[in-house]
Amino acid sequence: MVSGLINANPVVYEKKERRVRGAISDVDEYAVEPIDQQEIFDHIRDIKDPEHPYSLEELKVIAEDAIEVDDHRSYVRVTFTPTVEHCSMATIIGLCLRVKLLRSLPSRYKVDIRVAPGSHATEAAVNKQLNDKERVAAALENPSLLDMVDECLAPTFGS
């Protein structure tokens, strides 16, 4: 089973301790709370890698400091780092990140998913695919790809 993997023995890191988010709106339960870097990280940290039984956080594919949020402009950018520069799953990982955030954030947000500069052999092509609405929509119409994305996202819907 392991022989066909691009990165058969990835380095696995310890997960960060989850921080409790402060309740800003204790006085007004209808107050709008801003979305911040921590909240975005909490949405995506448990996404499962397509090739391994580890989360993107455990493989350091994503990190909290690689997330930019501008709540006033409704903009989020996630920059991820594949475990190897020739990772064939980079577009699937990016698609998982995009789908999770599209399902989790209010529709007013523009989500930008990027491969970290210099971390992938076809960085420009991957970035173009991940940020082209028509390509993303076409990919999500493919039942096999959608099944793979849903399988990677399944751990993110738990407690």
Side-chain angles (χ1 to χ4, degrees):
M1 177 177 152
V2 174
S3 63
L5 299 177
I6 298 293
N7 185 6
N9 295 306
V11 176
V12 179
Y13 300 87
E14 196 171 318
K15 285 184 166 187
K16 290 175 63 175
E17 188 173 322
R18 292 191 188 268
R19 291 177 284 170
V20 178
R21 296 185 55 80
I24 296 172
S25 59
D26 284 342
V27 177
D28 181 3
E29 67 182 83
Y30 298 106
V32 175
E33 295 180 28
I35 291 175
D36 61 15
Q37 187 182 44
Q38 180 187 347
E39 183 171 348
I40 300 300
F41 184 69
D42 286 344
H43 281 303
I44 63 177
R45 69 190 299 176
D46 295 321
I47 294 173
K48 184 183 122 10
D49 181 82
E51 287 190 316
H52 300 287
Y54 304 110
S55 71
L56 297 184
E57 177 187 16
E58 289 172 305
L59 296 174
K60 282 214 174 168
V61 171
I62 57 143
E64 194 169 354
D65 61 359
I67 298 168
E68 298 172 43
V69 179
D70 186 335
D71 191 56
H72 297 295
R73 291 190 172 130
S74 302
Y75 177 79
V76 172
R77 172 181 276 180
V78 176
T79 302
F80 70 98
T81 305
T83 58
V84 291
E85 74 172 31
H86 51 278
C87 177
S88 63
M89 293 289 157
T91 51
I92 298 295
I93 291 168
L95 191 59
C96 290
L97 292 166
R98 176 168 295 289
V99 168
K100 177 60 181 176
L101 293 176
L102 289 174
R103 291 178 180 175
S104 302
L105 296 175
S107 60
R108 67 183 168 92
Y109 277 85
K110 179 187 184 322
V111 176
D112 187 14
I113 306 293
R114 299 262 171 210
V115 175
S119 69
H120 196 274
T122 60
E123 172 188 336
V126 171
N127 286 341
K128 185 174 182 174
Q129 283 184 307
L130 294 175
N131 292 291
D132 182 314
K133 288 181 185 178
E134 291 169 4
R135 289 183 189 199
V136 169
L140 295 176
E141 288 178 9
N142 178 321
S144 298
L145 274 179
L146 188 56
D147 285 347
M148 187 181 290
V149 167
D150 285 339
E151 183 180 325
C152 292
L153 295 184
T156 69
F157 296 110
S159 54

